[in-house]
């Protein structure tokens, strides 16, 4: 088991930039990564499953969860509620896990505020607006109005890129996944995330000196 401490990786991007696929692939590739399943009031898409893709909730249920303080953060995105349940996120971090979450820019900001030292914010960019539009149209999940709303939001989200730590361009999915994987590896190796290991090494050195 690693003795470094865990952290949260927030993946944010305009819709259609491929962030859900990236999160899921990273989760498959690494056994130290856990995907945080959000709750939402948006309608379930044909290919989605409750409790796997999202916890699908009614508006009343979601508002009840807000009242009961069950979210680390929540936001209204494209007219629907979305939120990150508290679950065991803090516990997972203490167990050295990396919690990956696919949330919007407002959510990213809340996570940074709540976990200033334990959050890494990655912004995924499509190669260009044409690619983004094509991806939204090709996935045939949303109607034209929704697509328009999502493109409009993309403009506002890109304005907030300065609040992020890293940018990953998703021209080529495999390359983007490798980039996120590389960021996670580097973050794992930061000195301040390895204090326990360093402390133990120092103590062992002291003991060794005593014996000699
Ligand atoms: P979609 O409806 O396409 O699955 O997601 C719409 C947007 O909501 C995406 O930008 C996604 O990252 C964001 N989102 C999903 N879950 C959460 C969450 O728990 N909190 C916040 N703030 N945004 C979320």
């Amino acid at each position: 088991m690693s003795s470094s401490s865990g952290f949260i990786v927030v993946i944010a991007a305009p819709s259609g930039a491929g962030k859900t696929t990236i999160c899921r692939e990273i989760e498959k590739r690494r056994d130290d990564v856990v995907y945080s399943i959000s709750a939402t009031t948006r309608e379930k898409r044909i290919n989605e499953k409750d409790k796997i893709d999202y916890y699908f909730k009614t508006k009343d249920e979601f508002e009840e969860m807000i009242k009961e303080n069950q979210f680390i953060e929540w936001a209204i995105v494209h007219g629907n509620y979305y939120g990150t349940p508290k679950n065991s996120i803090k516990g997972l971090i203490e167990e050295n896990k990396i919690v990956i979450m696919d949330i919007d820019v407002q959510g990213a900001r809340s996570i940074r505020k709540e976990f200033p030292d334990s959050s890494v914010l990655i912004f995924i960019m499509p190669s260009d607006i044409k690619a983004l539009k094509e991806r939204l149209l090709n996935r045939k999940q949303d109607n034209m109005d929704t697509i328009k709303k999502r493109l409009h939001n993309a403009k506002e989200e890109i304005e907030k890129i300065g609040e992020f730590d890293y940018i990953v361009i998703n021209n080529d999915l495999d390359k983007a996944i490798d980039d996120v994987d590389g960021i996670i590896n580097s973050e794992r190796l930061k000195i301040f995330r390895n204090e326990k290991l360093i402390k133990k090494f120092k103590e062992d050195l002291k003991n060794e000196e005593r014996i000699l």
Side-chain angles (χ1 to χ4, degrees):
M1 195 182 81
S2 148
S3 63
S4 65
S5 51
F7 50 93
I8 297 172
V9 176
V10 173
I11 305 279
S15 9
K19 68 188 156 189
T20 311
T21 317
I22 293 174
C23 285
R24 291 302 197 173
E25 285 302 316
I26 291 284
E27 190 195 21
K28 262 195 236 159
R29 193 186 278 199
R30 305 183 59 116
D31 60 11
D32 55 354
V33 168
V34 180
Y35 181 75
S36 156
I37 303 170
S38 295
T40 184
T41 58
R42 126 158 118 59
E43 254 178 60
K44 183 150 65 90
R45 296 179 183 137
I46 290 168
N47 54 340
E48 288 179 325
K49 290 197 177 72
D50 188 33
K51 301 187 179 72
I52 291 179
D53 296 291
Y54 280 104
Y55 298 104
F56 291 97
K57 302 285 175 194
T58 62
K59 200 165 167 260
D60 284 350
E61 285 169 341
F62 199 102
E63 286 172 350
E64 197 52 39
M65 288 174 79
I66 297 175
K67 264 196 228 145
E68 290 172 357
N69 200 20
Q70 289 190 36
F71 293 112
I72 289 192
E73 64 74 37
W74 63 270
I76 295 174
V77 189
H78 315 309
N80 286 302
Y81 280 120
Y82 290 83
T84 308
K86 281 189 180 156
N87 291 342
S88 51
I89 288 183
K90 282 190 179 138
L92 286 167
I93 294 176
E94 276 158 25
E95 284 168 32
N96 304 327
K97 291 284 184 201
I98 293 160
V99 182
I100 195 162
M101 37 181 92
D102 155 6
I103 61 178
D104 86 318
V105 170
Q106 308 166 70
R109 186 181 281 164
S110 308
I111 294 291
R112 167 63 31 101
K113 214 167 146 201
E114 182 87 10
F115 300 91
D117 298 327
S118 307
S119 58
V120 177
L121 272 43
I122 306 177
F123 195 93
I124 311 283
M125 282 266 280
S127 46
D128 54 48
I129 289 297
K130 206 168 134 249
L132 180 71
K133 198 169 159 192
E134 270 166 20
R135 214 171 302 174
L136 283 173
L137 290 168
N138 287 341
R139 67 181 187 181
K140 297 189 177 68
Q141 288 171 338
D142 303 300
N143 59 35
M144 242 0 237
D145 255 9
T146 307
I147 291 176
K148 265 192 208 155
K149 208 190 275 179
R150 286 177 181 236
L151 279 175
H152 175 77
N153 287 355
K155 215 171 77 189
E156 291 180 359
E157 286 174 336
I158 288 172
E159 288 300 320
K160 310 217 171 73
I161 203 160
E163 297 177 26
F164 284 74
D165 302 310
Y166 296 94
I167 179 170
V168 167
I169 311 288
N170 186 13
N171 269 343
D172 166 341
L173 187 61
D174 286 335
K175 164 89 172 49
I177 294 165
D178 284 346
D179 283 348
V180 172
D181 199 30
I183 293 168
I184 294 176
N185 285 334
S186 306
E187 287 289 334
R188 263 271 191 234
L189 299 176
K190 284 212 163 141
I191 300 291
F192 81 95
R193 295 198 205 285
N194 287 279
E195 273 164 3
K196 275 189 236 158
L197 179 94
I198 297 166
K199 194 168 161 236
K200 182 168 183 313
F201 190 80
K202 281 187 188 163
E203 278 164 10
D204 288 351
L205 261 182
K206 234 192 253 168
N207 289 336
E208 204 57 40
E209 270 175 348
R210 243 181 256 135
I211 294 167
L212 284 177

